[in-house]
Amino acid sequence: MSVSGLPPYDPANIFARILRGEIPCKRVHEDEWALAFHDINPLTPTHVLVIPKGEWVSAADFHAGATAEAIAGFWRAVAAVAKALGLEAPGYRILSNMGGDGGQEVPHFHVHVFGGRPLGRMVRAGG
Ligand code: AMP
């Protein structure tokens, strides 16, 4: 069981396979701590996923178990990606789904970066 109560890390998950280079991605950024790539099913004009390189199921696991350096490196990568994509001035949204109610499909911690149009307020009731 992971820290968050989710199942243990599954090294066969699709983002683990992307990290190992077994399946391709449209990469926008990579450094020691993180890989960022375009979402295969973009919900906004810009929709990028940023994933840490370590094996973490969720935000809870990552922040409980990763080193301070890895956590800082990951969040710096998120900010760098948004800047590189030209999203700083117009603004953007970052979001991470966790577990069933959170709608998490891929069990490797990731942050969505949405932008490219006004995004409205938060989430809508019912979906
Ligand atoms: P989540 O619901 O937060 O787990 O989001 C998982 C995201 O991963 C979804 O937005 C999917 O469209 C995206 N996704 C799934 N497979 C791939 C892939 N091979 N390359 C890029 N994005 C993917």
Side-chain angles (χ1 to χ4, degrees):
M1 195 68 84
S2 66
V3 165
S4 54
L6 299 174
Y9 189 80
D10 173 9
N13 80 74
I14 194 130
F15 292 171
R17 298 184 64 204
I18 287 174
L19 274 174
R20 291 195 296 268
E22 293 169 7
I23 57 173
C25 69
K26 286 173 63 181
R27 185 169 53 188
V28 298
H29 174 93
E30 183 166 15
D31 61 32
E32 183 180 355
W33 305 111
L35 173 68
F37 51 92
H38 289 280
D39 195 291
I40 204 166
N41 182 25
L43 300 176
T44 51
T46 301
H47 182 178
V48 165
L49 302 168
V50 189
I51 69 175
K53 289 199 165 171
E55 297 188 343
W56 308 107
V57 175
S58 69
D61 290 333
F62 179 62
H63 294 100
T67 64
E69 195 181 13
I71 294 169
F74 174 76
W75 288 106
R76 286 195 181 110
V78 173
V81 164
K83 184 172 187 176
L85 293 169
L87 298 177
E88 271 192 346
Y92 61 98
R93 177 169 296 153
I94 59 176
L95 177 150
S96 183
N97 297 317
M98 190 163 109
D101 281 2
Q104 182 178 6
E105 291 175 1
V106 180
H108 180 114
F109 172 51
H110 54 280
V111 166
H112 295 255
V113 179
F114 297 109
R117 65 165 168 79
L119 297 169
R121 293 288 303 165
M122 306 298 282
V123 294
R124 280 167 296 160

